[in-house]
Amino acid sequence: MEVILQVLRQQPQQAPRMQRYTLEVQPGTTILECLNRVKWEQDGSLAYRKNCRNTICGSCAMGINGRSALACKENVGSEIQRLEAGGVLQTEDDRPIFTVTPMGNMPVIKDLVVDMKGFWQDLKAVDPYVSTASRQIPEREFLQTPDQRAKLNQMGNCILCGACYAECNAKEVNPAFPGPHALAKAYRTWVDSRDDRTEERLEQYNQGTAGVWGCTRCYACNAVCPMDVDPYDQIGKLKQQILHRKGDQDSRSIRHRKAMVDLVKEGGWVDERKFGVRVVSNTFRDLPGLFSLGPLGLRMLVRGKFPFTFEASEGTAEVRSLIEAVQALPHEDK
């Protein structure tokens, strides 16, 4: 079959431009093979990263038809099926059009090659290494049980391709957020039975929007991860460990989470009249926070969007019992 590969190309100090290439391919031809053929047969100036060609190294991560993926993993046939299922397959003269772009949240060096310096700095910032101090124990090995080792398997599958980082909405608006890749590695280090910095690490990850609370819970990282690491799930586990140790007076981020659960227990869903008061004003303990709600409250009143009453959900009792059952479960630790 004949396909059109359109690549977003960019040179230093120049505006990006879309360039098209026509290729004769088979359904099983990978996107990386398409790029290789363009480079070898049509345009040797095309720049992109690649290495293993076997979904191991993570080098060939890039934007493929609107989401970050590994070019060596995705093929022409599967992409056509995915785009058709979503109703977004573009064609020209019955030829499918595939769009390839550089990854997001990272500066472009050339064409599909991005500068990953920030990616590696964010990873380093969470100190994702088992503490060397914990290994300074004489006359014995550092053994782990099969169960202890199994806790590391999912996060250990991360190949640091950058796909989750490129799709992260929190990183896009908040440069201080370390990114899902870093926090997934952070949880892998925290849960390691050989590490002795348990509480210190949780304090580090509890630094407001510069830590786990900066996550916007969009699930984009889970959706694009080619290795099923599910970074958002690991961020959630870190949050649970922090919430287990902290009270609602420790920070607004923690109060936000606890207030939401308490309000859902009370009424089946969140009573928005109480939510801002409990979280932002800390139930009238934080007067500046309370006054900061004034402009928003006035705008809501003017536009008729301020709820004067609250009607509890019909299933409040069932919701409350479910939450309480979950809260009564034994707390999972290392």
Side-chain angles (χ1 to χ4, degrees), residues 313-330:
S313 166
E314 293 182 0
T316 297
E318 183 178 1
V319 169
R320 183 183 301 117
S321 65
L322 288 171
I323 293 175
E324 290 175 347
V326 171
Q327 291 176 331
L329 292 173

Side-chain angles (χ1 to χ4, degrees), residues 42-316:
Q42 301 185 36
D43 188 347
S45 68
L46 180 63
Y48 54 96
R49 287 191 176 110
K50 65 184 177 75
N51 192 11
C52 74
R53 299 184 296 175
N54 199 33
T55 66
I56 294 174
C57 72
S59 299
C60 66
M62 57 189 67
I64 301 174
N65 296 318
R67 93 304 190 192
S68 297
L70 296 179
C72 68
K73 183 178 182 182
E74 309 304 327
N75 62 54
V76 169
S78 65
E79 280 299 286
I80 290 175
Q81 292 179 359
R82 185 181 72 85
L83 295 172
E84 284 181 335
V88 293
L89 177 64
Q90 294 182 326
T91 61
E92 183 177 291
D93 298 329
D94 293 327
R95 296 175 298 179
I97 299 174
F98 298 146
T99 302
V100 183
T101 59
M103 289 193 291
N105 288 330
M106 288 172 270
V108 176
I109 297 175
K110 182 184 178 184
D111 298 339
L112 304 176
V113 179
V114 295
D115 184 351
M116 299 185 71
K117 182 179 179 180
F119 173 88
W120 298 114
Q121 287 177 335
D122 284 334
L123 178 64
K124 184 179 180 180
V126 302
D127 194 19
Y129 315 104
V130 173
S131 170
T132 55
S134 67
R135 293 199 291 266
Q136 295 175 6
I137 300 178
E139 298 180 4
R140 74 176 181 87
E141 297 180 59
F142 236 116
L143 302 179
Q144 286 184 303
T145 67
D147 287 342
Q148 288 172 330
R149 180 59 183 85
K151 291 181 179 181
L152 313 180
N153 289 344
Q154 186 175 16
M155 295 76 70
N157 288 335
C158 176
I159 56 177
L160 296 172
C161 64
C164 64
Y165 191 87
E167 297 292 326
C168 181
N169 292 299
K171 188 64 185 179
E172 183 175 354
V173 299
N174 176 20
F177 182 63
H181 73 303
L183 291 173
K185 287 289 187 181
Y187 181 70
R188 180 252 176 268
T189 308
W190 181 88
V191 80
D192 196 315
S193 61
R194 298 167 295 179
D195 189 76
D196 66 350
R197 295 174 53 198
T198 299
E199 302 306 321
E200 178 187 340
R201 289 187 185 278
L202 289 181
E203 288 297 329
Q204 179 184 357
Y205 310 147
N206 187 30
Q207 299 304 308
T209 55
V212 295
W213 306 109
C215 173
T216 59
R217 304 181 295 280
C218 67
Y219 283 87
C221 55
N222 280 15
V224 300
C225 178
M227 305 304 292
D228 297 323
V229 174
D230 294 339
Y232 172 75
D233 293 2
Q234 316 318 323
I235 296 172
K237 293 173 185 176
L238 285 173
K239 288 180 178 179
Q240 289 303 317
Q241 295 295 339
I242 293 169
L243 289 168
H244 179 67
R245 291 163 168 78
K246 301 289 185 179
D248 59 7
Q249 296 303 303
D250 286 291
S251 72
R252 182 180 291 183
S253 298
I254 293 172
R255 191 159 58 248
H256 180 282
R257 184 68 170 265
K258 290 181 177 289
M260 181 172 290
V261 173
D262 290 342
L263 288 171
V264 172
K265 285 176 65 176
E266 290 177 15
W269 47 48
V270 176
D271 184 345
E272 296 176 350
R273 302 171 306 161
K274 296 180 180 179
F275 188 68
V277 173
R278 290 193 184 184
V279 176
V280 180
S281 78
N282 195 12
T283 315
F284 303 107
R285 295 184 182 90
D286 183 353
L287 293 181
L290 178 63
F291 292 138
S292 72
L293 293 172
L296 173 62
L298 288 174
R299 290 198 300 273
M300 292 177 68
L301 282 170
V302 169
R303 297 180 184 181
K305 293 186 177 182
F306 187 86
F308 289 99
T309 60
F310 175 79
E311 183 177 348
S313 166
E314 293 182 0
T316 297

